[in-house]
Amino acid sequence: MFNTEYDVIVVGAGHAGSEAAASAANLGCSTLLVTMNLQNIAQMSCNPAMGGIAKGQIVREIDALGGYSGIVSDRTAIQFKMLNKSKGPAMWSPRVQSDRMRFAEEWRLLLEQTPNLDFYQEMVSGLLVENGKVCGIKTSLGIEVRSKTVVLTNGTFLNGLIHIGDKQFGGGRAGERAATGITEELINFGFEAGRMKTGTPPRVDGRSLDYSKMTEQPGDERPEKFSYTNLTKPLAEQRSCHMTYTSTEVHDLLREGFDRSPMFNGRIKSIGPRYCPSIEDKINRFADKDRHQLFVEPEGWNTVEVYVNGFSTSLPEDVQFKALRSVVGFENVKFFRPGYAIEYDYFPPTQLTHTLETKLISGLFFAGQINGTTGYEEAASQGLMAGINAALKVKEQEPFIIKRSEAYIGVLIDDLITKGTEEPYRMFTSRAEYRTLLRQDNADFRLTPKSHEIGLASDERMKRMEEKEKKSSAFVQFFKDTSVSAEEANPVLESKNSSLVKQSGKMFKLFSRPQIELKDIKNFEKVKAYIEEHNLDREILEQTEIQVKYSGYIEKEKNNADKLNRLEEVKIPENFDYTKLKSLSFEACEKMSKIRPATISQASRISGVSPSDISVLLVYMGR
């Protein structure tokens, strides 16, 4: 196998690497997945959960494109919740609590069943590069394996340094060594590198906890699932999480260790995730708060190991233990392992194109935490896109690029390569301009046809999507065409404190009222008969309700997205000389020369580029 020239080599088998390897192999490319430990494929290094605010939308988008994260999440879930259900559907975000061991096992089994995919366990220490083009990898044993493209998904392993109090040691994850050599080589090639930090809480023995003192957090009564396929089913039974709180006593005990905290004594110099701060950071920044929530999350169906979400820390282990024993329900807690912080190398993502290929070396792609992101979902989506584009480059086909108006994945990649990031990047619904269009329920409508066109999404996926679209569109049309009498409508309107009607009217108008839900009018004879005749399932009913109730907002956002996309069509030549435009501001000239935006639209999103700078560009481009 070492004498084979692979189409794609993927380095690292976390969430990004696993999706990259699967997508490249499923597109027919000979693919090699190299990782330091084959037992830890798709390991959930931090919390045992997938999805959440905006992240759940990303998982559904990965599934719609033909990736595996949604399928694995469904098959290994122990609890399902649709978050933000009290808000509009643009905010609904699916999340599952996962069985950590089963999650990694399911990913490995899926990858092993994927044609065109080989595996090898060893540390990659360098790259083979000839004439500005990547040609393969070098391993720590001195083996060279050649390939047409390489995808680096190194996670937190590049020169990883673990901190627990005043102790520090090299490692990419607890119990695993760091990866060395690649950073230094990439810097020699001209890449800019930086350091980031992330952290994780202690894991504890669930048998030592008193759950009767905590608040139970059950899953949804009617759980849904991530995958649009029929390969998975919603959960029939679920495990509960629990919630408890820190206290002023806990905070005082934690403060006793601040002088030994690597965060406060200068040992950690890099920036951690803003939206997932350590417990010491929280009590330092929010000194006015006398308590913080802790979510007590089981790690699987049968294990007693428990994840203490909200207690991420790098304080000395004795301080962690003493403070946690003062939390309600944790009075007799036993540790499985303490929390820790980890520093690692990343490469500012402005050095990439929209395909996640590096600008400096042809055929070399970066995905995941190497690009400065945080979270399994963000990493997996980048891996999927890097794997797709590496495969398409090998096949000499057009690159696969998703716009901001088409997916959260498009927002994520565009944010990274256009704006860069100096702290671990996390996706939120607020980062998307068109979140009413980018809902979790319609990711298949948005993305499956695009993926099917390049050969990744299967015919079966495409057929299911078309069937769903056909049925929901027909049901929407039914409401537009069908009238309801005042006698039938008014009792429902009265029960909902909505204005009564004096004559018959179209159901669409009635259904569009904010107070009226589908469950209120499902018993109208015509509606009931239509649902039964066409055998409409919950997914179709939900899709129809959203399309009816939010039709005005959806149409408005589509028009706004079309305006943005017109600027996407105005291309900027690859080697355009911005210095010849004397009317450009110095900052705009400097930043656009560095980032090299592909379109006017991308240029408009660069920090420091003003509307007047865009006007100058448009005039020059003849617009």
Side-chain angles (χ1 to χ4, degrees), residues 356-427:
L356 298 180
E357 184 178 16
T358 66
K359 295 171 183 175
L360 281 174
I361 298 177
S362 175
L364 178 63
F365 296 77
F366 291 173
Q369 281 173 292
I370 192 172
N371 289 337
T373 58
T374 179
Y376 308 142
E377 303 82 1
E378 290 90 340
S381 66
Q382 291 171 71
L384 177 76
M385 296 300 289
I388 289 171
N389 280 304
L392 295 178
K393 188 175 182 75
V394 169
K395 295 178 169 191
E396 298 182 350
Q397 294 178 9
E398 284 293 305
F400 187 67
I401 295 169
I402 298 174
K403 297 173 185 170
R404 295 181 72 91
S405 57
E406 294 173 329
Y408 276 95
I409 295 174
V411 175
L412 167 70
I413 293 173
D414 186 68
D415 273 358
L416 290 174
I417 70 160
T418 303
K419 300 173 184 174
T421 185
E422 293 176 354
E423 60 184 55
Y425 178 102
R426 177 181 177 179
M427 179 54 74

Side-chain angles (χ1 to χ4, degrees), residues 201-466:
R203 302 334 191 250
V204 302
D205 189 335
R207 296 169 298 184
S208 65
L209 304 181
D210 186 348
Y211 292 105
S212 67
K213 295 180 178 179
M214 306 180 200
T215 306
E216 187 177 5
Q217 301 276 298
D220 288 350
E221 279 186 37
R222 297 181 65 205
E224 298 176 45
K225 63 193 189 85
F226 274 120
S227 183
Y228 292 101
T229 68
N230 57 2
L231 298 173
T232 65
K233 293 178 181 175
L235 285 168
E237 58 174 310
Q238 303 183 71
R239 276 201 72 176
S240 287
C241 297
H242 289 78
M243 185 173 69
T244 185
Y245 294 89
T246 61
S247 62
T248 51
E249 181 191 356
V250 174
H251 297 177
D252 290 340
L253 288 168
L254 288 167
R255 286 190 186 97
E256 287 178 15
F258 276 14
D259 60 328
R260 296 158 63 202
S261 164
M263 276 195 61
F264 299 133
N265 64 19
R267 283 180 179 270
I268 292 178
K269 297 179 176 64
S270 45
I271 301 172
R274 180 187 298 266
Y275 301 102
C276 188
S278 64
I279 188 67
E280 56 264 41
D281 198 20
K282 278 193 273 194
I283 64 175
N284 189 49
R285 278 165 52 191
F286 308 110
D288 57 317
K289 294 194 179 294
D290 54 14
R291 68 175 194 168
H292 295 283
Q293 288 178 328
L294 298 179
F295 292 96
V296 185
E297 302 175 340
E299 298 251 334
W301 284 113
N302 302 312
T303 181
V304 297
E305 189 172 359
V306 166
Y307 181 89
V308 190
N309 196 340
F311 206 87
S312 174
T313 181
S314 57
L315 285 165
E317 65 279 7
D318 58 313
V319 176
Q320 296 183 33
F321 182 68
K322 198 196 302 186
L324 207 49
R325 279 217 158 180
S326 295
V327 172
V328 172
F330 280 71
E331 293 84 359
N332 298 305
V333 71
K334 293 180 181 177
F335 271 29
F336 270 23
R337 45 187 163 139
Y340 62 88
I342 180 167
E343 288 186 286
Y344 56 93
D345 294 335
Y346 86 105
F347 292 83
T350 50
Q351 300 170 99
L352 306 176
T353 68
H354 269 102
T355 64
L356 298 180
E357 184 178 16
T358 66
K359 295 171 183 175
L360 281 174
I361 298 177
S362 175
L364 178 63
F365 296 77
F366 291 173
Q369 281 173 292
I370 192 172
N371 289 337
T373 58
T374 179
Y376 308 142
E377 303 82 1
E378 290 90 340
S381 66
Q382 291 171 71
L384 177 76
M385 296 300 289
I388 289 171
N389 280 304
L392 295 178
K393 188 175 182 75
V394 169
K395 295 178 169 191
E396 298 182 350
Q397 294 178 9
E398 284 293 305
F400 187 67
I401 295 169
I402 298 174
K403 297 173 185 170
R404 295 181 72 91
S405 57
E406 294 173 329
Y408 276 95
I409 295 174
V411 175
L412 167 70
I413 293 173
D414 186 68
D415 273 358
L416 290 174
I417 70 160
T418 303
K419 300 173 184 174
T421 185
E422 293 176 354
E423 60 184 55
Y425 178 102
R426 177 181 177 179
M427 179 54 74
F428 288 102
T429 51
S430 57
R431 294 195 191 270
E433 302 93 321
Y434 309 112
R435 59 190 184 189
T436 307
L437 300 180
L438 310 184
R439 305 183 311 275
Q440 56 84 32
D441 59 272
N442 70 348
D444 51 346
F445 291 175
R446 293 184 274 120
L447 299 174
T448 298
K450 291 177 175 297
S451 184
H452 182 260
E453 196 175 321
I454 62 168
L456 185 58
S458 65
D459 291 343
E460 175 61 26
R461 274 186 182 274
M462 189 65 183
K463 187 179 171 187
R464 284 179 67 85
M465 186 281 298
E466 288 173 335

Side-chain angles (χ1 to χ4, degrees), residues 163-175:
H163 297 266
I164 303 176
D166 45 18
K167 306 177 183 77
Q168 57 179 232
F169 46 92
R173 196 161 43 205

